[in-house]
Each structure stands twice: as structure tokens, then as C-alpha cells.
């Protein structure tokens, strides 16, 4: 036991400090005869402990060449551990597998090894092992490198608890530094500063750790935009760290601090100083880690590339970005600087995407726009690889937000190539880029839910355990919503989610697939999507950029046009103000000042659609983006001539039938899926039990629909959470009329059932696919804007769970109006079987019935509902009254017969 612990300490000191390349002898890739003999003898003696150390010792001599030999150890072992010393040896194997995989740049394999080591330790505690130094710290740092900050924070909190238990101030300070870095990258700067200051209070001012915390502090100040303060703090950090050139950690931290100093100088436009700092960092890494720390060297090269580009040296920048890729992809052998790595070479690494994006930024300046566009597509491939490695949706959304920023530059490039060449392939590239930066997480969620539903087997122990954990997570989320002050719940929730993430990895490895179950969209798939568009439908896909926006028109034959909206950030601000002024505040502003509303409404239409020809025989599928996702397109006005007669206003929906989707990809998923042919399930809640809510007039709607449609009906006290979760998953149409809390300001959006709320997070692990969900509640299409994903609404939640189409509300729709329109909607659906056309015609019919009340023709009253989803027919079981007619006819015949019989009898008498 002493032998193995001593070995681990020596290994970490040597290889973490300088990692000088060991001499690789000719037998690096082939086992020498002496080692083979030694291993055979140890196996014959059943000495597993020494057999493990013999393999480890062999790999120590040339770890990069022999890493595969180390990774094959478990499979080569003839038995598992039995004694304490054998368990320690096995544990040492696991942590060294994680360490050497990290040194070779394979972060995912390193994480897997460290996670296995952590699970091993927790199942078989080893009192003589420092779990913090050998597992928790490198595992947490690996998650940080991968940009999976939520998981990293969970590991760091475990580390902090152990360090506080041991009263180890140095470990406490180091962990606070790691937590500050994670929260800074999550954008939670206040928490980051608090963690950093807590670490500084615990750290010894005469240690390199103190210098690391100063560097972290400077990073946070830089993110806050206080560059002068950041420059002052980073200089203190450098002075502290450069004193410890023989300290393992200090050398690495000093290199990181030099990069931070370069970034601060770059923000201050001190480019000469920034270049000097960055070059010092690269020299340091090359000197102390000649054959290791490839990722760190790649990051410095990206930084140098950025600096060269800013200083007007694009050729030098291109070389630095290329060198970064070579560090990260050692097996890649490009023929020239214009070549992109194959998708198979890409892996989960954010620096990889940064280097590719750098090349894409530089190449247009060097008159290579086609190569630049190809690099942008490869950036999106790398981003998808990164998202596939994340468990937390928040981490995926963060990566997609970065992808979104790069997509705008790619759109500008593709549009310029299309306008100059008129080649159709650049139109398709525009659509491809728009799709790759839009609703990707939603598409992945739908695919994952479908895959879970298909692959779950009752005898699958991993699936059963995962299901139990999902139930536990939902329970803790309910507890967090009910008692936000309970400090124990977040920790329990994080632990359950981490355990579930490990199970998901096991399942992924077992099934040999990625977490999304689908490949990245290609041009060939776009053509497949086109073919799925019905013949009479035109699709208009938006891409909302900060500078320019685009509308791409397509049908089943392909793309037919692209519309540029210049300076669109101002227009998106106008849309936001428009919705806030005229819809969020209720109907009064529109009623009191209709002319300003009319003018603003038409101005938005003019910016989007001036000159566009809406054809009477066409239907239109809108795929909005950005602030346009909140816009009631049906209510837009198509000309600017104001009239005091609201019935005469030229609303767009009077010219065209509109429906919506989150992306072309998600629409195709919905359009091509199979749904229950029939079945109606309705939930009608006037008021939650014991809730201080106004009473809704849903009983009128309940009685009307019950007389119209066969199905399962759950009014008030029957509309419980249990009934909802039981019956909602096996129906063709799911109807919910109730109160909803689902706006941007709400932390926990929900639908009010009779006994308790049904939260948005209750849909997180559900997989069900009704053909249609009708949310007869307020603001169910409203919510927080997720960059690149759309509105995080209850409507989106049901779409992610598998719903084919969703009718939902954009704002607080008038109660009586909502009931009336939805009644017309179901009558139209019985005839047309098409939800989009049914909603369109229901509005027209409702307005025709209220010609005597001009106020109700204002769009606040009738334009709140929107349909998003497939264009398939939806079946519905109607109440068939023929048998009533037969019964009635039979009764008439019976009575008539009795009368005639009585008359004849009387006549005879």
C-alpha cells in the first residue's frame, strides 16, 4: 500500500510540473519480452496488485506512446480486486488513466476515467487516498475545460465540503477559485466575485495560490468592463506567480495569468503589450511542457491569432489559428491552409471551435470567402459535438448562444456570395446556417424523447434506475418551487442530476450512439425537408441578427427567394416595445388610441413584407426568430390607410392562412411523425383548490365541447395532477383550459390543475405525442427568450415532449373571447381536420358573429392564439346523433301504431 501511494505522489509531482518527454524506446508500441514474462509470472502467482503496477510502470516511461496499453488494463486483468491493497492499486490505475488522457488532450476520456474512479471510491472508501487531489479537483477542472460549468460546480461543491470538513484553508481557497471561474463563465458575475473574495480571505498571501485568485479576480473585472482595475490586479498576480518558477502549479497558473494580461491589454487597445504577454505564455508552455498541455498551447495560439487579426496581420493570424488546430488534431494532415478537418476528427473541445471560427473570420479578408463559409459550417459541427457531451440544457443553450453569434457572420458571408454570384448553392447555405443556429436543443430533445420511448425495456436496470432518478429530480424541483428558501433542496437536486448524467453516459456507451440520436443537418437533409412541405404551402424562415435579418422563402421545390432586412436590431427593439405597449398592458391602450397602434403595426409589416405577394391559393408556414417570435403576424396590417371602422382594417390573416414552427427541422419532425388517430382528453379548471384566483368561465366551454366531441372530460375537482399525468399521454387531442403562469418574469411557468400546478419542468422527462395540444390559457406561448432556441414557453415544452401541434396564447386573452374562438375552432376542425386552417376560419367566423361590436375587432381580442406544428389532418370522434333520430323515429311509429290500433278497435266495436 505504501508503495502505491508513494508512486502516485511521485507521478503527479513529476508529470504535473514539467512533464519532460521521456525517451521512447523501440519497444514503445510492442511489449518487450521481459515485461511479457513478468506479467505472465505475476498472473500465475495470482498477484494482481504487482501486475497492475508493472503495467503502470511500463506506461510511465512513455505515456503518450503507451496510453492505449494502460487503457486496456481492465480488460486484460484475469480477475477483479479482492484485498484492500488490490483496491488501492486498481484505484491508482483509474486516476492515472484520467491523468494521462488529459495530458494527451482527450478530455472526454479523462472525465470518464475520473468519474469511474470517483464511483469506485464512493463504493469502496479508501482512507489512505486523497480523493480531493487525485479525483475531485482534476474532474471538476475537466468539466470546466469542457465548458460544462453546472457539472463542474457540483464537483467543486463536493470538494469544498470535504476541504471544510478537514479545515484545509489552502484547499478551500483553491476550490473557491474554481467556483469563481465557473460562475464567471456562466455570466453570474456577482456570485463569481463573492467566491473569489472568499478564496482570497482563506489563501496565504505568500503563496502562488494567492496569485491564482488575483488572476481570477482580474478575469471577473474584465468581464464587468472595468479594464483599468483588471490591469492593476493582473499585474499583482504576475508579480506573485513569477516568484515560484519551481512550483508545479505556479508555472501553469503563471501562463494562464499571462494570457489574462494579454486579454486585458487587448481590451485596452494596447496591442503591443498584449502580444508580448501572449508570446511569453506560449514560450513558457513550450519550455516546461514540450510534449504536453496541447490544449493550453492551442488557446494561446488562438489568442495570438485574435491579436494579429486586430492589428492588421491576417496572414499571421491564419498561421496561429492553423497551429492551434494542429495542436488539437495531431493526426490531421491538411494539404493547405484552406482545408477543413473532417467531421470524424472533431471532438468536444471549445478551443477547437474557437480556432475554426478564427480561420473563418480571417479568410474573407484574404479573399477566400468560399473557404471561410466552409470553416463556419465546420464550426457548427464542432459545436454540436460539444453540445452532445453536455448533460445540462443550460450548458447546451450557452454553447448555442455562442454558435448564434458566429452564425450572423456566416449569414452575411453567404448572402454576399449569393448576391454576387447568384448561385443557388449559397441560398441553401443561408438556410443551412439559419437552421444550424436555431432550435437545435429543441430538435435534440424531441429526438431523445422519442429514442427513450422506443428503447425502454422493463428488464433494463439502467433505464429503471434512470426513471427513478427522473422522478426524484422532478420531486426536488417541486419542492424548490414550493419552498425556495430551503437550502438543502438545491444540493439534493444537483446530486440526483449528476447521478442521472452518469447513467445517461452509460446508456450512451452501451448503445454506441450520441445523446441526440441524430446527425447534424446537411444540405441533402434540407432537400429532404423541402420534399416534406405540402404542395400548397410556402415556408418563410426568419433569421434575426443584430445588424441584419433575413427571410428565406421556400416550398417543396426548394428556395425561391431571400429577403434582407437591414439594420434589424432597431426593428426588433420596435417589436418589443410594440408588444409591451399594445398587448401586455391589456386592451385599453388599443381602444383609446387606435390610430397610433394602426400606424406602428403597419410600419412593422412594411419593414418585413413590403412588396410581398400573398397568394390566395397558398398557405404560409412562418418560422420566426428573435423578437419576431413574439409577434402576432395575423394581426399585422398590410396597408397604411387608417379607418375608424375596425372591421375594415386590412389584417394579414384576411389575406393568408398562417401557421408557425420553431425551425424547419423541428417542423419536419412533427410533420413526419405518427400520432394517435383519435381520442380527446380535456381538462377544465375554473379555479385551483384553495388558490386566490378569479373564477374562469370554463364550465361553459366544457359543456359545449362535451356535447360536440366524444372523449374523456375532467372538470374542476376531477382535473387533478394524477389524472393529467395518467391520461394526457394516450390521446390524440389534449385540451387544457385553466389559469396559467407563463410569462418572461416567471421562474416556474405552470398550468393550474385543480389540486396543484403542472410545471414546465414536469414535461422535462415526459415522452408523449398527441396530434394536437390546445392550451386554452393565457401566455402559454410567452416566456423567456433563449438565444437561438426561441421562446421558452409551455408551448415549447409540449413540443419538446413530442406534441405534433400546439395552439397557445401570446398574451392574456379575454376569457369569453377565448371560449368562443376555441368552440369555433373545434367545429371547424371537425370539418377540415386541419388545425391551422381551423384556427384561421374560427377567427373569421367569430368576427363575423360580432359585427355589431367594433371593439371586439381589435386584434387584442382575437389574435392571441397561435398554432405551431405539423400540417397533418387531426381526427376527432364526434358525437353521432343518428341513433337518437332512430330512437325518436321508432317512438313516433310506435305511438302512431298504437293510435291506429285503438281506432280500428273502436270502429269494430
Amino acid at each position: 500500500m505504501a508503495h502505491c501511494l508513494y508512486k502516485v505522489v511521485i507521478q503527479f509531482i513529476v508529470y504535473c510540473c514539467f512533464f519532460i518527454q521521456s525517451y521512447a524506446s523501440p519497444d514503445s508500441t510492442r511489449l518487450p519480452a521481459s515485461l511479457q514474462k513478468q506479467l505472465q509470472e505475476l498472473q500465475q502467482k495470482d498477484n494482481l496488485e504487482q501486475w497492475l503496477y508493472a503495467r503502470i510502470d511500463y506506461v510511465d516511461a512513455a505515456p503518450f506512446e503507451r496510453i492505449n496499453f494502460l487503457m486496456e488494463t481492465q480488460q486484460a486483468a484475469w480477475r477483479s480486486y479482492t484485498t484492500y491493497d488490490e483496491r488501492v492499486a486498481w484505484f491508482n490505475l483509474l486516476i492515472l488513466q484520467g491523468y494521462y488522457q488529459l495530458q494527451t488532450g482527450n478530455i472526454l476520456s479523462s472525465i470518464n476515467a475520473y468519474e469511474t474512479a470517483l464511483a469506485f471510491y464512493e463504493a469502496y472508501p479508501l482512507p489512505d487516498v486523497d480523493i480531493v487531489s487525485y479525483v475531485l479537483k482534476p474532474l471538476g477542472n475537466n468539466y470546466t475545460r469542457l465548458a460544462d460549468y453546472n457539472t463542474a460546480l457540483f464537483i467543486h461543491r463536493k470538494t469544498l465540503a470535504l476541504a471544510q470538513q478537514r479545515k484545509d484553508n489552502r484547499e478551500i481557497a483553491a476550490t473557491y477559485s474554481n467556483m469563481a471561474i465557473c460562475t464567471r463563465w456562466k455570466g453570474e458575475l456577482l456570485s463569481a466575485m463573492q467566491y473569489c473574495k472568499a478564496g482570497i480571505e482563506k489563501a496565504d498571501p505568500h503563496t502562488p495560490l494567492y496569485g491564482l485568485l488575483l488572476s481570477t479576480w482580474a478575469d471577473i473585472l474584465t468581464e464587468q468592463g472595468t479594464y483599468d482595475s483588471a490591469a492593476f490586479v493582473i499585474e499583482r498576480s504576475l508579480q506573485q506567480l513569477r516568484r515560484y518558477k519551481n512550483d508545479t502549479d505556479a508555472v501553469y497558473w503563471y501562463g494562464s495569468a499571462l494570457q489574462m494580461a494579454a486579454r486585458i491589454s487587448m481590451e485596452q487597445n494596447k496591442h503591443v503589450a498584449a502580444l508580448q504577454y501572449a508570446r511569453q505564455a506560449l514560450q513558457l508552455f513550450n519550455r516546461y511542457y514540450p510534449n504536453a498541455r496541447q490544449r493550453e498551447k492551442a488557446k494561446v495560439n488562438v489568442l495570438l491569432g485574435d491579436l494579429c487579426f486586430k492589428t492588421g496581420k491576417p496572414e499571421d493570424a491564419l498561421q496561429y489559428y492553423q497551429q492551434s488546430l494542429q495542436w488539437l488534431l495531431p493526426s490531421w494532415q491538411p494539404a493547405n491552409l484552406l482545408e477543413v478537418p473532417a467531421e470524424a476528427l472533431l471532438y468536444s473541445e471549445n478551443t477547437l471551435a474557437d480556432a475554426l471560427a478564427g480561420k473563418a473570420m480571417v479568410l474573407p479578408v484574404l479573399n477566400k470567402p468560399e473557404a471561410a463559409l466552409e470553416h463556419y459550417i465546420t464550426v457548427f459541427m464542432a459545436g454540436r459535438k460539444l453540445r452532445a457531451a453536455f448533460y445540462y440544457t443550460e450548458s447546451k443553450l450557452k454553447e448555442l448562444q455562442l454558435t448564434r453569434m458566429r452564425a450572423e457572420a456566416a449569414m452575411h458571408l453567404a448572402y454576399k456570395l449569393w448576391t454576387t454570384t447568384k448561385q443557388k448553392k449559397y441560398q441553401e447555405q443561408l438556410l443551412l446556417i439559419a437552421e444550424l443556429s436555431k432550435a437545435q436543443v429543441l430538435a435534440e430533445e424531441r429526438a431523445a424523447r422519442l429514442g427513450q420511448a422506443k428503447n425502454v425495456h422493463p428488464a433494463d436496470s439502467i433505464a429503471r434506475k434512470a426513471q427513478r432518478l427522473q422522478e426524484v429530480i422532478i420531486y426536488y424541483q417541486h419542492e424548490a418551487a414550493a419552498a425556495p428558501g430551503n437550502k438543502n433542496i438545491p444540493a439534493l437536486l444537483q446530486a440526483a442530476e449528476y447521478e442521472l448524467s452518469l447513467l445517461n453516459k452509460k446508456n450512451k456507451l452501451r448503445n454506441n450512439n450520441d445523446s441526440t440520436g441524430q446527425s447534424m443537418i446537411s444540405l441533402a437533409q434540407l432537400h429532404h425537408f423541402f420534399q416534406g412541405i405540402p404542395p400548397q404551402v410556402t415556408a418563410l424562415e426568419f433569421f434575426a441578427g443584430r445588424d441584419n435579418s433575413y427571410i428565406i422563402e421556400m416550398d417543396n421545390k426548394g428556395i425561391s427567394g431571400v429577403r434582407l432586412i437591414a439594420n434589424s436590431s432597431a426593428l426588433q427593439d420596435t417589436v418589443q416595445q410594440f408588444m409591451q405597449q399594445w398587448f401586455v398592458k391589456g386592451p385599453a391602450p388599443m381602444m383609446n388610441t387606435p390610430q397610433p397602434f394602426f400606424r406602428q403595426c403597419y410600419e412593422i409589416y412594411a419593414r418585413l413584407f413590403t412588396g410581398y405577394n400573398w397568394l390566395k391559393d397558398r398557405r404560409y408556414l412562418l418560422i420566426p426568430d428573435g423578437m419576431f417570435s413574439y409577434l402576432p403576424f395575423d394581426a399585422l396590417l398590410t396597408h397604411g390607410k387608417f379607418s375608424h371602422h375596425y372591421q375594415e382594417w386590412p389584417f394579414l390573416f384576411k389575406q393568408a392562412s398562417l401557421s408557425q414552427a420553431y425551425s424547419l427541422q423541428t417542423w419536419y419532425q412533427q410533420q413526419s411523425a405518427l400520432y394517435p388517430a383519435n381520442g380527446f382528453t380535456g381538462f377544465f379548471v375554473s379555479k385551483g383548490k384553495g388558490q386566490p384566483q378569479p373564477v374562469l368561465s370554463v364550465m361553459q366551454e366544457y359543456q359545449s365541447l362535451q356535447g360536440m366531441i366524444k372523449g374523456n372530460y375532467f372538470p374542476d375537482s376531477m382535473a387533478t395532477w394524477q389524472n393529467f399525468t395518467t391520461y394526457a399521454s394516450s390521446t390524440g387531442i389534449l385540451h387544457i383550459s385553466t389559469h396559467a403562469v407563463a410569462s418572461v418574469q416567471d421562474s416556474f411557468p405552470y398550468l393550474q390543475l385543480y389540486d396543484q400546478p403542472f410545471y414546465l419542468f414536469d414535461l422535462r422527462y415526459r415522452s408523449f405525442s398527441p396530434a394536437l395540444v390546445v392550451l386554452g390559457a393565457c401566455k402559454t406561448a410567452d416566456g423567456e427568450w433563449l438565444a437561438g432556441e426561441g421562446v421558452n414557453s409551455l408551448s415549447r415544452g409540449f413540443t419538446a415532449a413530442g406534441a405534433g401541434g400546439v395552439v397557445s396564447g401570446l398574451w392574456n386573452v379575454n376569457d369569453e373571447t377565448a371560449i368562443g374562438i376555441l368552440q369555433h375552432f373545434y367545429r371547424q376542425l371537425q370539418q377540415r381536420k386541419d388545425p391551422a386552417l381551423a384556427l384561421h376560419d374560427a377567427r373569421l367566423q367569430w368576427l363575423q358573429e360580432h359585427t355589431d361590436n367594433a371593439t371586439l375587432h381589435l386584434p387584442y381580442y382575437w389574435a392571441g392564439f397561435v398554432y405551431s406544428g405539423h400540417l397533418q389532418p387531426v381526427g376527432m370522434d364526434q358525437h353521432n346523433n343518428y341513433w337518437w333520430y332512430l330512437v325518436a323515429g321508432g317512438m313516433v311509429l310506435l305511438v302512431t301504431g298504437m293510435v291506429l290500433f285503438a281506432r280500428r278497435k273502436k270502429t269494430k266495436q
Side-chain angles (χ1 to χ4, degrees), residues 713-728:
Y713 287 82
F714 299 90
D716 277 340
S717 60
M718 295 177 64
T720 61
W721 196 91
Q722 183 61 49
N723 280 339
F724 186 83
T725 55
T726 301
Y727 291 95

Side-chain angles (χ1 to χ4, degrees), residues 46 175 285 301 341 346 402 490 557 589 645 663 668 694 707 824 899 909:
D46 198 33
T175 307
F285 286 130
N301 273 277
L346 304 177
L402 181 59
K557 297 177 183 177
H645 301 289
S663 69
Y668 184 81
H824 286 311
V899 170
Q909 291 176 350

Side-chain angles (χ1 to χ4, degrees), residues 183-310:
T183 47
R184 169 259 184 269
W185 281 103
K186 287 183 66 180
E188 300 170 4
L189 300 183
L190 180 60
S191 296
M193 187 62 77
Q194 290 172 345
Y195 286 136
C196 188
K197 289 181 178 179
I200 288 174
E201 290 176 1
K202 290 290 184 180
D204 184 344
H206 305 291
T207 61
L209 178 58
Y210 193 82
L212 171 65
L213 283 156
L214 290 174
S215 178
T216 304
W217 185 11
D219 188 11
I220 299 167
L221 291 171
T222 303
E223 190 66 14
Q224 291 174 334
T226 54
Y227 303 126
D228 291 340
S229 298
F232 174 77
V233 174
I234 198 62
E235 187 56 39
R236 289 178 57 195
S237 172
L238 292 171
Q239 290 175 2
Q240 181 83 352
L241 290 169
R242 67 168 59 103
R243 302 172 187 170
Y244 303 95
K245 293 185 178 180
N246 293 324
D247 183 278
T248 304
D249 296 325
V251 172
Y252 176 67
W253 295 341
Y254 184 51
S256 299
L258 286 168
Q259 293 178 73
M260 191 68 248
R263 294 188 183 281
I264 294 169
S265 297
M266 185 165 59
E267 294 291 349
Q268 294 177 309
N269 292 320
K270 299 177 180 178
H271 295 135
V272 174
L275 280 168
Q276 290 176 346
Y277 284 128
R279 286 168 180 161
Q280 287 181 50
L282 187 58
Q283 290 170 2
L284 182 142
F285 286 130
N286 285 333
R287 176 184 174 187
Y288 288 104
Y289 311 104
N291 294 288
R293 299 290 184 185
Q294 289 95 327
R295 181 178 181 274
E296 283 72 15
K297 294 173 189 175
K299 289 180 74 70
V300 181
N301 273 277
V302 169
L303 177 58
L304 285 165
D306 294 344
L307 285 165
C308 288
F309 184 73
K310 281 182 173 291

Side-chain angles (χ1 to χ4, degrees), residues 59-224:
V59 175
D60 282 347
F64 293 105
E65 292 83 357
R66 301 171 182 176
I67 182 67
N68 289 335
F69 178 72
L70 187 69
M71 302 306 295
E72 295 165 356
T73 302
Q74 289 96 321
Q75 290 75 23
W78 67 95
R79 65 174 176 84
S80 186
Y81 44 84
T82 55
T83 68
Y84 180 83
D85 288 346
E86 288 175 352
R87 289 205 304 268
V88 173
W90 199 279
F91 177 77
N92 289 338
L93 169 69
L94 294 174
I95 62 176
L96 287 172
Q97 285 177 337
Y99 175 71
Y100 287 134
Q101 288 286 5
L102 175 61
Q103 294 304 312
T104 57
N106 195 336
I107 293 181
L108 276 181
S109 294
S110 178
I111 285 174
N112 291 337
Y114 280 127
E115 285 175 342
T116 304
L118 179 58
F120 183 92
Y121 177 87
E122 290 177 340
Y124 301 95
L126 304 170
D128 301 302
V129 170
D130 184 358
I131 188 67
V132 170
S133 298
Y134 294 153
V135 177
L136 290 176
K137 283 178 66 175
L139 178 57
N141 290 336
N142 270 352
Y143 279 123
T144 303
R145 293 183 181 100
L146 196 63
D148 193 353
Y149 302 114
N150 288 303
T151 311
L153 275 170
F154 171 74
I155 297 297
H156 292 324
R157 289 188 178 105
K158 289 174 70 80
T159 306
L160 181 64
L162 288 172
Q164 290 173 333
Q165 184 179 345
R166 299 173 182 177
K167 298 182 179 179
D168 186 340
N169 283 344
R170 184 188 184 283
E171 202 60 68
I172 293 171
T175 307
Y176 274 132
S177 176
N178 290 330
M179 296 173 75
I181 291 170
C182 287
T183 47
R184 169 259 184 269
W185 281 103
K186 287 183 66 180
E188 300 170 4
L189 300 183
L190 180 60
S191 296
M193 187 62 77
Q194 290 172 345
Y195 286 136
C196 188
K197 289 181 178 179
I200 288 174
E201 290 176 1
K202 290 290 184 180
D204 184 344
H206 305 291
T207 61
L209 178 58
Y210 193 82
L212 171 65
L213 283 156
L214 290 174
S215 178
T216 304
W217 185 11
D219 188 11
I220 299 167
L221 291 171
T222 303
E223 190 66 14
Q224 291 174 334

Side-chain angles (χ1 to χ4, degrees), residues 424 427-428 431 523 526-539 552-561 618 664 667:
K424 196 172 184 66
Q427 280 187 324
E428 294 183 346
L431 179 60
L523 289 174
L526 283 184
H527 295 161
H528 197 56
F529 296 164
F530 294 153
Q531 294 170 9
I533 301 175
Q536 74 279 16
V537 174
T538 294
I552 305 168
E553 181 181 5
M554 72 200 87
D555 56 23
N556 60 0
K557 297 177 183 177
I559 298 174
S560 54
R618 303 291 294 177
L664 186 62
W667 175 84

Side-chain angles (χ1 to χ4, degrees), residues 574-586 589 745:
T574 299
V575 169
Q576 187 175 16
Q577 296 164 6
F578 174 79
M579 296 303 298
Q580 184 69 30
Q581 180 177 356
W582 301 110
F583 294 95
V584 174
K585 295 180 180 179
Q745 295 79 19

Side-chain angles (χ1 to χ4, degrees), residues 652-679:
L652 177 57
F653 96 107
K654 293 180 180 180
Q655 294 188 34
S657 173
L658 310 176
S659 62
Q660 295 190 14
Y662 289 92
S663 69
L664 186 62
Q665 180 184 12
T666 56
W667 175 84
Y668 184 81
Q669 288 176 331
Q670 293 173 292
Q671 181 72 4
S672 56
L674 297 176
Y675 304 102
N678 292 291

